[in-house]
Amino acid sequence: MPFKSHKPLITVVGASSKQGRSVATSLLASGRYRVRALSRRIDSLPIRQLAELGAEIVTVPLELGYRDELTAALRGSYGAFLMTPPTAPVQPPGQPELALGRELADAAHAAGVQHIVWSSLENVETRTGGALWVPHFTEKALVKDYIRTLPVRSTFIYLAFFYSNFLEYYVPKRRSDGNLTFAIYLPPDVPVPFVDPLTATGPAVLEIFDHPEEYAGQSLPVIGEVLTARQMVDIFVRVSGQKAHYASAYTRDELLQHFPVFGENEYLVSELVGMVEYAVNYGYFSPERDIQWSRRIDPNALTWEQFLQGSGWQGGQLSYGPSL
């Protein structure tokens, strides 16, 4: 039977993540694609929800050493959304995220995938001339470079800072007087891009798979809003009704003062400090990126205010589900 009589199958790696859930849900909701969702567990709530929506569920750990299993899971797919999970930085020259990303790409190629969409970021080492060490960014960029060498169509998305970081990792602290100290890893008045990955990733990837030739080889930013740390706190106060004040967690000392748990991993501290210095001094995205693209194809992408209204967040710590 001709291929065009079938809905193309898209395999989503890391389907229980915020990005993965968004992609799988958007593809299924379009009615134009079948979805195979890869996850290490089949009993998590996000995966059960995807199964109820019609996704095929396959269990494969998203970690090194499972290339054969990944290849088998990807076989028969027209396209694949690939990403790496949050990866703790290690002492150089170790590059665990690069190693996993290459293994994912090799598995997709071996499985005969025709179009890879890779969740990437900028190469900080290149952009800063080696002045800053941010492996979370650079290793994703190196995976992108590797994918470009493979004989397969590829497109790359670059998500902005996550709104949800403040709900999960940089949670405001309640003072004895009931007010919140909202410590943010940015200076008060530097505008930077943010996004809600749980709702913005899917529309971007759907657009790419709907128009594969148009987006072949492109690197596309995905943002919700560009705003400053001071604006974020002011909007939070207005929406939540909570009393809160901005505090800087930009420098190394400030970061550890407000979030001492990060100090348990020296490499993590170095990366976090390098990441925000990079965003402030060089710009989160390279200047040639079209930062309006995702807002054009998804005009309903959530602003920070809309994200707060939808989540009802009052400043406490929240979890977005299981690990991948």
Side-chain angles (χ1 to χ4, degrees), residues 172 174 178-180 182 232-245 304-316:
R174 183 81 60 181
N179 293 350
L180 289 170
F182 203 139
M232 296 192 82
V233 176
D234 290 345
I235 292 169
F236 169 76
V237 169
R238 184 174 73 249
V239 173
S240 69
Q242 299 284 315
K243 293 183 178 180
H245 72 277
W304 173 235
E305 182 168 354
Q306 292 167 335
F307 174 83
L308 292 173
Q309 291 169 339
S311 65
W313 185 53
Q314 293 288 297

Side-chain angles (χ1 to χ4, degrees), residues 77-236:
S77 304
Y78 160 74
F81 173 74
L82 305 181
M83 59 169 290
T84 44
T87 304
V90 301
Q91 182 177 0
Q95 294 181 306
E97 200 161 357
L98 171 59
L100 177 57
R102 289 181 62 143
E103 190 166 285
L104 290 169
D106 286 341
H109 177 230
V113 171
Q114 298 178 47
H115 191 170
I116 293 172
V117 177
W118 168 250
S119 182
S120 190
L121 287 169
E122 304 286 1
N123 189 322
V124 172
E125 183 175 354
T126 298
R127 289 203 67 208
T128 67
L132 294 174
W133 182 73
V134 188
H136 170 62
F137 277 60
T138 298
E139 290 182 43
K140 284 182 171 64
L142 293 174
V143 174
K144 181 197 76 170
D145 293 341
Y146 179 70
I147 292 173
R148 285 183 180 275
T149 70
L150 301 176
V152 57
R153 177 181 287 150
S154 54
T155 309
F156 311 96
I157 60 170
Y158 293 61
L159 269 71
F161 281 132
F162 292 0
Y163 297 140
S164 52
N165 285 345
F166 301 109
L167 285 65
E168 295 186 284
Y169 309 116
Y170 299 87
V171 183
K173 300 294 191 300
R174 183 81 60 181
R175 302 188 314 188
S176 59
D177 62 3
N179 293 350
L180 289 170
T181 297
F182 203 139
I184 297 182
Y185 46 78
L186 295 163
D189 298 310
V190 176
V192 295
F194 283 88
V195 72
D196 174 29
L198 193 57
T199 57
T201 316
V205 174
L206 175 63
E207 168 75 8
I208 291 165
F209 280 127
D210 277 349
H211 305 92
E213 293 184 1
E214 178 180 349
Y215 294 114
Q218 292 201 33
S219 298
L220 302 162
V222 180
I223 70 168
E225 184 176 18
V226 176
L227 70 173
T228 68
R230 195 189 306 275
Q231 288 172 329
M232 296 192 82
V233 176
D234 290 345
I235 292 169
F236 169 76

Side-chain angles (χ1 to χ4, degrees), residues 17-87:
S17 71
K18 291 183 282 290
Q19 293 184 59
R21 275 181 271 173
S22 183
V23 171
T25 301
S26 292
L27 292 173
L28 289 167
S30 76
R32 296 189 289 276
Y33 300 93
R34 293 176 292 136
V35 169
R36 181 178 293 157
L38 305 193
S39 177
R40 71 169 60 246
R41 294 173 49 189
I42 62 172
D43 60 343
S44 68
L45 178 58
I47 293 301
R48 294 202 307 270
Q49 291 173 334
L50 289 179
E52 290 171 359
L53 292 173
E56 173 192 356
I57 311 301
V58 176
T59 55
V60 181
L62 187 49
E63 56 191 65
L64 276 172
Y66 289 87
R67 176 178 167 177
D68 290 345
E69 291 86 347
L70 285 164
T71 300
L74 286 156
R75 193 163 286 121
S77 304
Y78 160 74
F81 173 74
L82 305 181
M83 59 169 290
T84 44
T87 304

